[in-house]
Structure formats: structure tokens, C-alpha cells
Amino acid sequence: MDFFEHQAQARRRTARLVFLFGMAVVSLTAAIYLAIAAFMPYGPMVEGGKPSYSLWNPELLLWVVVGNGLVIGCGSLVKTLELRGGGAEIAQMLGGRLVHPETADPAERRLMNVVEEMAIASGIARPEVYVLEDESINAFAAGFKPSEAVIGVTTGCVQLLSRDELQAVMAHEFSHILNGDMRMNIRLIGLLNGILSIAIIGRILLETGSSRLGHRSRNDRNPLPALGIVLVVVGYIGLFFGRWIKSAISRQREFLADAAAVQFTRNPVGMTGALKKIGGLASGGRISSARAEEASHMFFENGLASRFGNIMGTHPPLAARI
């Protein structure tokens, strides 16, 4: 299999995962509807004046679809707007220092030359470059669109990698810019925040309903706590599976970027060499910045220690990438 086939395979898997993410949102809406419909009376009274129940309630379905769409949409929009500050803001958040295009430092001069070469190879304007004072080997591309993208590189990456290996890492980051991965990541983060908003609203309803419970008579049923429990449970289950799918999408985009990097450089040895050096380094790719969690999906290699194994990892295992 050559690098073009690897790219095609990664794109197909990404498309399937994005579809799965959409289906997860639809399933979330269906679960909320069914949970409410199971406890909400609908239709004529049965014998004895007791209410009847039905899982088919068109009016309720419309309210749930519209309400759920508004909650997820507004929550997603708020988070997306927070992340529109541009790549430079993210680089500075992580403690990055802007490298002058005409820097006199030999290592930084080599870095800028490599970035210029990869900009030509990928057909993208040369982005600004930031250096993070960190002994690990890692890099990232950040920004909402190519015109405002930046590339960040750790000092470990600049100092420990050979020129071919550094070129492969930069080509990988240019692939993320070229293939729209930065924009996709921001949209997925926004959707996850929208799903989280459902659970937050559930907690508010649960707390509000519980506080009012003492002011109501025993025969006057208060539906807010039950509705709050439903939204909390469904919201957090949806968030878990949403994060799992997002991580799977991110892993496929890393495979795509690796294959595209080999296409740009025509040198697979450079990429495998960089990955092997990360595996042999004590700090690996872990970023010491306290804000690394917010940008973990943007790094060349895992920037954080994994607490759940690779099931929630944003990057494939090094051996699989090699």
C-alpha cells in the first residue's frame, strides 16, 4: 500500500466516523424523547379515569427535536466562537515564542528553511512559527482557516531531530492545514460542548425541582427532578460516546497526515525516524504546559499521559504509525 492508498483509506474511515457522530446525536434525541414519552400521559383516559400512555406523541417529538437542536446548536456555537481567536492565540496560550523569519539562530534558521520548503511542497502560504520551551518532541498546527494558521514546535523537536525528521514533522502539520483538520476539530469540540449542555440543563432542572419539592403537596407531582435525571444520564452517556468517536476521528486524521507527509517529502525514513525518537525519549511527546489539555488533539504526538489507554487516545500508538 502506497501513501495515496493510505490517505484514501483514512478519508473513508473518517467519513464513516463523522456519520457515526451524527447518528449519535440523533440517537441522543431519540433517547430523550422515549424517556419522556414513557412517563407523559397521552391520549384519552382509560377506564377508572387513569391516564393512558403511548410512545408515539407527535407533539412531544416536535418539542424534543426542536429543543434538543437549540440546546446543542447554541452550546456548539458558544464554544466555536471561543475558539475563533486564531492559531497565534493558541500558540501563545501554550507559552510559544514567535520565531522571526530572518532569525540568526542556526537551529531556528534550519527550522524556518524546512517550513518554507514544506509550504512550497504543499502549496500553502508559509504560516507563522512559534517555539515552545519544552524538552519533549512535539509540534502542532492551529487556526480556524489556513490564512490564520500557525505551526508550533517544541525545542526538543528542533534540537533532537535530524533535518529529514524535522521535515517530516513539518510536512505532517502542513497536511493538517491542507486537509481542513483544524476546522473539523473545532466543529467536533463545539458539538461535544453542545451535548454537555444537555447534561448541564438536566442538573439545573434536578436541583431546581428538588428545592421546590418541599413547597408542593404530596399529590401534586413535580416532573422537573425526573426530567433532570433523564437529561443528566442521557447527556453524559452521549458525551462519553461523542468523545470516543472524536478520538477515533482524530486517530484517522493522524494516519492521513502521516501518509501526506511522506507524499510531500518522498522520504518515509524521516517520518519513522521522528516517531522512533519520540518513543525512545523519556518525556516522549508530553507537553509540560498547564494548558496542553485544551490543545491535545492538535499535537503531532500525544501531548498528555493517557488515563484510559488508547480507547480515548487522540493519536494512534507509535508502533501502528511506524
Side-chain angles (χ1 to χ4, degrees):
M1 183 183 292
D2 62 19
F3 45 74
F4 289 119
E5 291 174 342
H6 272 293
Q7 291 178 63
Q9 184 182 73
R11 287 192 177 99
R12 287 193 298 270
R13 289 176 176 171
T14 298
R16 288 196 292 266
L17 289 166
V18 170
F19 174 77
L20 186 61
F21 197 103
M23 291 304 298
V25 175
V26 173
S27 300
L28 187 68
T29 304
I32 293 174
Y33 164 74
L34 291 173
I36 296 176
F39 297 98
M40 177 176 286
Y42 180 69
M45 294 287 186
V46 297
E47 292 183 7
K50 295 182 179 180
S52 62
Y53 297 87
S54 173
L55 292 181
W56 174 241
N57 186 333
E59 185 177 350
L60 174 63
L61 178 61
L62 178 62
W63 278 106
V64 170
V65 170
V66 173
N68 205 43
L70 285 174
V71 170
I72 293 178
C74 291
S76 176
L77 179 62
V78 168
K79 193 64 177 180
T80 300
L81 291 175
E82 287 180 7
L83 298 172
R84 287 183 68 93
E89 182 176 319
I90 294 175
Q92 292 166 9
M93 173 190 78
L94 294 171
R97 169 180 56 83
L98 180 63
V99 179
H100 192 278
E102 303 302 326
T103 177
D105 181 271
E108 293 181 357
R109 181 70 257 159
R110 184 185 68 160
L111 170 64
M112 297 305 294
N113 288 340
V114 168
V115 170
E116 183 71 39
E117 293 166 3
M118 291 301 98
I120 295 172
S122 61
I124 299 175
R126 185 186 68 188
E128 290 185 332
V129 179
Y130 285 77
V131 169
L132 282 64
E133 298 295 330
D134 199 296
E135 63 181 12
S136 66
I137 299 176
N138 221 324
F140 66 89
F144 195 78
K145 50 188 177 181
S147 61
E148 61 183 31
V150 306
I151 286 180
V153 186
T154 62
T155 49
C157 190
V158 175
Q159 297 169 359
L160 299 177
L161 297 184
S162 68
R163 196 182 196 284
D164 286 348
E165 292 163 351
L166 181 62
Q167 188 181 62
V169 173
M170 292 301 97
H172 175 104
E173 299 308 325
F174 270 96
S175 171
H176 282 312
I177 300 173
L178 183 66
N179 289 307
D181 295 340
M182 300 181 301
R183 184 169 59 253
M184 178 186 293
N185 279 327
I186 289 175
R187 288 174 178 171
L188 290 176
I189 291 171
L191 281 172
L192 286 174
N193 191 70
I195 294 174
L196 177 61
S197 300
I198 294 175
I200 292 173
I201 291 176
R203 285 169 55 189
I204 293 173
L205 291 177
L206 183 59
E207 293 170 2
T208 303
S210 299
S211 64
R212 293 181 179 179
L213 195 59
H215 303 289
R216 303 171 70 96
S217 66
R218 290 186 177 181
N219 296 326
D220 189 9
R221 294 180 62 188
N222 180 7
L224 291 183
L227 179 59
I229 291 173
V230 168
L231 294 181
V232 168
V233 172
V234 174
Y236 279 115
I237 290 175
L239 184 64
F240 172 82
F241 283 103
R243 284 177 173 169
W244 174 71
I245 296 171
K246 171 185 167 291
S247 296
I249 292 173
S250 178
R251 290 194 293 271
Q252 289 305 314
R253 302 314 281 185
E254 293 303 319
F255 280 129
L256 173 60
D258 286 347
V262 176
Q263 176 192 348
F264 295 151
T265 63
R266 303 285 170 161
N267 181 12
V269 176
M271 176 58 71
T272 56
L275 294 170
K276 287 177 180 178
K277 280 188 178 178
I278 292 174
L281 192 66
S283 57
R286 291 188 295 277
I287 302 295
S288 59
S289 171
R291 307 290 297 276
E293 172 72 36
E294 299 176 51
S296 61
H297 58 289
M298 300 179 183
F299 294 126
F300 173 75
E301 171 52 10
N302 278 323
L304 303 170
S306 177
R307 292 171 293 181
F308 301 100
N310 199 52
I311 187 172
M312 287 295 183
T314 54
H315 294 66
L318 285 172
R321 295 175 68 179
I322 293 170

